[in-house]
Each structure stands twice: as structure tokens, then as C-alpha cells.
Amino acid sequence: MKKLLLAIIISLNLSFACGQVTPFEFEKQTGYKGNNIPDLTYLEDSYSFLVLGDFGRVGDYFQQDVARELGHATIVLDAEFIVSVGDNFYPNGVASTTDYHWISSFESVYKDPSLYRDWYVALGNHDYRGNVQAQIDYANVSRRWNMPARYYSKTFEINDNEKMLLIVMDTNPYIESYHENPEKYNGVAEQDTAKQTKWLVEQLKTDDPQIKWKIVVGHHPLYSGGKRKDSDDTKLFEKRFADLFDEHQVDAYICGHEHDLQIIKPKGRFTTQFLSGAASEVRETGRREGTIFSAAEPGFMTFSIQGSKMLVQTVRANETGAKVLHTYELAK
């Protein structure tokens, strides 16, 4: 019996290696009980990750639906990791590493076996209403929760010759209106933005010739066609960072804060912004100059790198299942 089981596993592995089955088909053959997302494109030998944001609502709103389909997408794309763009816990963050919010809004919601891989997490404004240090310290509790500091970076090997640089910012201290209400945003006034900006520039100026893709993650958008389209906070954030990202050829700026799905690249800009903030609550959205896509739908985005292109797929996830609403390709 053991020899037969071993033969079956070897056969499945050989079939997968030869490209005869997709990651989803392989997992189903080995016992996975989740569903496929048929219109989600899997690129063979690609390097993939998923992005969601603004999620922590005790499984209410659309959070359970998005979590279910996020798990399915992770299997379909054989994704390496997951990125959260912040506002991880509503309305007021967490108090400690033992706050029940960790169970009710994270551990018991994102329970598909595929989601037990690395999460790289940013801080949102609602996280600043609680204990930020507790979210950093939770990395010592959870194997999958990665937040070594308020801002950090990590380099990933895409293949033998190419790497991707992922920079996770803490955008909250740059939002000037938060400094007018320091009691609401705990500790935001004490953060040294000059120090963070210097660090950011040093990261972006990397001289590693193998880094082919530069991706920056933050909570607040550079641009929006939604609720904060004309907000002073948005305009000032754009003024502070849009030129900097272009100068250092950041391929993608990934953010949330708006509870919708948007892709924006204003005329003349190098960096494309991908806004994925619809992992639980959804609000009406709109368009602005440079809008490529926008939707007031619950969901997330997937990123797949294959050679000189990055395929971004925007996925709606609700009670009926998942559907790809839009695909966009970045080319080097």
C-alpha cells in the first residue's frame, strides 16, 4: 500500500513538473477541497503573490467571502505570499498580542490551508488607533504574520538571475491631518518621517543588478477616483512621493485606504498605482485622470511575474464565488 501511494505521488509530481496539470488540478488530486477560479489566469513558471487590504471586521461585511476566494486564488496561482496594505483591525486596532481580534478577524477567517504562508503586512490608520507594537510583536506569535518593524523591506528571488524588491512603508506619519489629532492616532506624532524617507531612498537606490522589479506598499493612495479624490491628504501624499517613485523607477505602488479596487497611472508617470482596499467593506468609487480601472466590488488583486511582464488580475469575491473583473499587464 505504501509503495502504491508513493508511486501515485511521484506520478503527480512528474505530471506537474511537465506542465500537464495546473497547481489547482495538482492540489485537487492530492485531496484539496477548495474550488477553482476558472477565469483566473495561471502563468506557468511565474512568481505570484496576492494583495488585499482594509479587512479586519470580525468576518462581517464581505470579509468571509473575500477570505474564501483569496484561499482559492492562492492555490490556483501557486502564490508565494500575501500582502496586506493595512487597516488590519477595525475600528481601533488591537490592544495586545492576545487581543481576541486576532482570532475573530484574522486566524478564524483566513483559514484555507493555502493561506498559511507568509503575510507581509503594512499599517493603516485604524491600526494606529490601537497598539501598533502589538502588531509588530505578533510576528513572534504567528508563523505567517510578518511585520518586523513599522516599515521594512525584503528581496525575493524570482529565479536564478532576477529578484524583486518589496518595500513596505508606514505612510501614516506622512498624513498631516493625523497630527492634528494625536490622541486618536496613537504615537503618530512621534514618528520620524525624515528618517523613514532617508531609509526609503536608500532602499530604492539599490545597486543590486539582479533586482528587476521594485514594488512599494503603503496604506494611503497617491491618487484616487473614490471618496478621497479631492482630499488634501491625498494631494499632499502625491506631491511628496509621486516624483520620488518615478525617479527611482518603482514599477508598482500598492495601497488601500479607499474601500474599492482601482488601477491608476496618470499621464507622464512611470509608476502604476494598484489600490486594493475592498477586502471587507465596499464604498462607491469613481474615476480621475489616469484611471485604468475602478470598481466598487469586494475583492483583491493578484500579481504574477513571468520574464519581462507582470500580470495583475483584479478579482471580485462575493457570496456567489469569484470572477476576474480586469487584467492589466506591466512590461519591462
Side-chain angles (χ1 to χ4, degrees), residues 67 71 97 311 318:
T97 58
L311 178 65
N318 58 24

Side-chain angles (χ1 to χ4, degrees), residues 20 35 39 47 62 83 85-86 96 113 155 157 168 175-176 188 198 206 223 252 254 264 285 298 326 330:
Q20 296 176 2
N35 295 326
D39 59 349
Y47 189 95
F62 291 101
V83 170
V85 298
S96 68
T155 301
E157 292 188 5
V168 180
I175 306 303
E176 294 187 9
V188 73
K198 181 181 178 181
T206 175
Y223 327 106
I254 300 173
I264 300 174
T285 189
H326 184 265
L330 276 176

Side-chain angles (χ1 to χ4, degrees), residues 95-150:
S96 68
T97 58
T98 58
D99 192 313
Y100 191 70
H101 228 333
W102 289 105
I103 303 299
S104 62
S105 290
F106 182 64
E107 301 291 0
S108 68
V109 177
Y110 302 100
K111 57 188 179 181
D112 189 287
S114 70
L115 299 178
Y116 280 82
R117 61 193 68 199
D118 286 329
W119 289 56
Y120 295 96
V121 188
L123 291 165
N125 52 298
H126 283 269
D127 301 311
Y128 259 87
R129 297 184 187 184
N131 184 348
V132 168
Q133 188 61 44
Q135 294 202 37
I136 297 171
D137 292 343
Y138 197 70
N140 298 320
V141 177
S142 169
R143 168 60 183 80
R144 56 177 168 166
W145 185 271
N146 288 270
M147 187 189 289
R150 292 174 191 248

Side-chain angles (χ1 to χ4, degrees), residues 159-222:
N159 54 47
D160 291 339
N161 302 310
E162 296 176 345
K163 300 175 182 177
M164 178 184 74
L165 174 63
L166 183 75
I167 298 173
V168 180
M169 295 179 62
D170 178 7
T171 58
N172 296 279
Y174 295 100
I175 306 303
E176 294 187 9
S177 64
Y178 295 174
H179 292 259
E180 298 169 6
N181 195 351
E183 293 183 358
K184 184 177 182 180
Y185 300 103
N186 184 29
V188 73
E190 286 76 51
Q191 303 310 305
D192 188 341
T193 55
K195 181 180 179 181
Q196 183 179 174
T197 301
K198 181 181 178 181
W199 169 87
L200 174 64
V201 171
E202 290 173 350
Q203 298 297 309
L204 292 173
K205 289 172 66 176
T206 175
D207 57 2
D208 186 342
Q210 290 189 320
I211 290 180
K212 185 169 183 177
W213 299 91
K214 293 180 182 177
I215 297 175
V216 177
V217 175
H219 183 64
H220 295 85
L222 293 164

